[in-house]
Amino acid sequence: MRILVTGGAGFIGSNYIRYVLREHPEDEVINLDALTYAGNLENLHDVEYNSHYHFIKGDIARPDDVSKAFSLGVHGVVNFAAESHVDRSILNPEAFIRSNVLGTQVLLEAARQAKVDKFVQVSTDEVYGSLGEQGYFTEETPLAANSPYSASKAGADLLVRAYGQTYGLPLNITRCSNNYGPYQFPEKLIPLMIIQALADKPLPVYGDGQNVRDWLHVEDHCRGVDMVLRRGRPGEVYNIGGHHERTNLEIVNQILAELGKPLSLVQFVQDRLGHDRRYAMNADKITRELGWQPQIDFPIGIQQTIRWYLEHREWWERVRSGEYQEYFAHQYGDRTENTPAGGRAE
Ligand code: NAD
Ligand code: DAU
């Protein structure tokens, strides 16, 4: 099978490409990525010369770029390409609508014309909104997105559904909880906190630190997406979750403990606007239908991830240069010394 992976130079996409080339060496992968600030071909340095891997620099919102990829012959599409950071969506929603909504529609249209065997939309638990202290999101939970990011992902999900209903495009939507693991861009909670702690700098925790996320290792997510691509029932949505709900403060404290750093590095900062309180997934359907289960326990996964960041200092020092520095300065001010103002909208 020749698989078009969009956003393959990002965190999850690059892990997915590596997974496919390892687990299905007979397959071919075309990586279509615009190489935004989050896209980095260094994430794929080890497969760069694999004859079953091809890279095309292109934007999923540009029909010409997408046509170029489809001209190679595509049997399956896995759409990871997106603007993915909630805080950035609060600062600049427009980019999210363009890539996540328009981009998905352009891709769907090309997939329809090419009569692909399967289109998988990689979505998120955030489209369901926020939970109170009890309960879990199921695939039937109504969409109730609260941030420009999650609204753009929900819009994309509805377009994907519409292409199935209207044109009969064989598709699936996966909705996954928070990922962690190697190659995650250090604007997201876990890598950011590891790197701040390594430098003995303050760890900015939004609000009271009691917001809950469900953490899943990226390798487990990739395996789930791949099962859905190959065996998911056309038209179905599959939740993917880690069964590992923790408050942000618990995660941050665990990172500090692993690194032998003091809790005094925690700094409570202004809350994220519209900050969802709790996400928790019921992922029974993918387990029941496809036999998927998470395999990497969080205590092991977090230790491996911390080690990865310790051993790849050059990688994160490079990605933290350039445009990222501007964003970082705008978002938090100089976090090295002062109290940052996380999530502010200016
Ligand atoms: P990321 O920001 O690390 O990577 C996104 C990639 O998409 C980058 O390589 C970027 O260059 C590329 N991209 C962005 N806009 C593009 C465009 N218009 N055309 C082509 N390429 C473009 O994101 P990630 O964390 O790897 O997330 C990947 C996908 O998984 C996203 O769709 C996200 O919504 C979804 N997701 C992420 C998580 C998570 O915890 N990170 C959880 C559930 C779902
Ligand atoms: O739930 C899946 C989603 O997980 C994905 O769809 C998104 O693409 C991905 O970015 C992630 O979104 P979150 O907003 O949950 O992830 P983030 O790492 O930005 O934040 C996790 C939690 O930590 C959230 O409650 C906000 C908090 N946080 C985050 C940062 C960056 C802090 O307290 N301080 C911080 O500096």
Side-chain angles (χ1 to χ4, degrees), residues 27-272:
D27 285 351
E28 281 184 53
V29 173
I30 303 163
N31 175 12
L32 176 68
D33 196 298
L35 299 183
T36 69
Y37 79 93
N40 183 357
L41 288 179
E42 229 185 299
N43 299 358
L44 289 160
H45 62 94
D46 50 335
V47 301
E48 203 176 355
Y49 298 111
N50 185 318
S51 60
H52 285 222
Y53 169 72
H54 317 277
F55 173 69
I56 298 175
K57 183 173 187 299
D59 181 344
I60 59 164
R62 290 173 55 106
D64 288 353
D65 291 356
V66 170
S67 298
K68 207 190 285 177
F70 275 90
S71 71
L72 299 178
V74 170
H75 309 117
V77 178
V78 183
N79 183 25
F80 290 97
E83 289 292 334
S84 70
H85 190 38
V86 174
D87 291 331
R88 286 183 189 255
S89 82
I90 295 167
L91 296 171
N92 176 19
E94 196 185 332
F96 286 71
I97 304 307
R98 187 177 182 283
S99 286
N100 302 3
V101 184
L102 177 63
T104 300
Q105 189 272 326
V106 169
L107 209 53
L108 282 164
E109 191 54 37
R112 170 168 94 92
Q113 311 262 350
K115 299 188 169 50
V116 298
D117 298 328
K118 181 65 76 68
F119 184 104
V120 178
Q121 173 70 2
V122 180
S123 186
T124 166
D125 58 1
E126 301 202 11
V127 297
Y128 296 124
S130 184
L131 290 166
E133 281 177 18
Q134 305 291 319
Y136 294 88
F137 297 133
T138 72
E139 289 81 357
E140 276 70 50
T141 303
L143 304 193
N146 291 319
S147 72
Y149 162 70
S150 52
S152 69
K153 293 295 289 186
D157 283 13
L158 291 177
L159 279 168
V160 174
R161 176 189 153 88
Y163 266 72
Q165 296 290 327
T166 307
Y167 305 113
L169 184 71
L171 56 88
N172 289 117
I173 298 172
T174 59
R175 296 191 178 130
C176 188
S177 60
N178 284 62
N179 283 215
Y180 70 100
Y183 297 105
Q184 186 166 30
F185 197 88
E187 63 190 350
K188 306 282 169 67
L189 183 77
I190 288 184
L192 178 68
M193 298 299 167
I194 294 171
I195 290 170
Q196 290 294 107
L198 284 175
D200 295 311
K201 291 180 182 169
L203 276 56
V205 173
Y206 296 165
D208 62 4
Q210 296 306 308
N211 301 66
V212 172
R213 297 293 182 265
D214 169 15
W215 293 96
L216 179 71
H217 195 278
V218 63
E219 187 79 8
D220 280 327
H221 183 193
C222 291
R223 193 163 32 79
V225 167
D226 200 57
M227 284 177 165
V228 170
L229 170 70
R230 291 162 205 278
R231 296 195 280 114
R233 280 190 297 132
E236 295 296 313
V237 176
Y238 293 94
N239 283 353
I240 305 178
H243 308 300
H244 191 271
E245 288 174 49
R246 290 292 180 275
T247 65
N248 294 334
L249 198 55
E250 285 171 323
I251 296 293
V252 167
N253 286 347
Q254 188 164 358
I255 290 169
L256 288 171
E258 293 289 344
L259 288 170
K261 300 285 183 177
L263 295 183
S264 58
L265 283 178
V266 170
Q267 197 166 55
F268 291 97
V269 301
Q270 189 182 319
D271 208 354
R272 172 184 279 175

Side-chain angles (χ1 to χ4, degrees), residues 202 267 332-340:
Q267 197 166 55
Y332 304 108
D334 182 0
R335 195 183 289 162
T336 53
E337 259 71 63
N338 305 319
T339 303

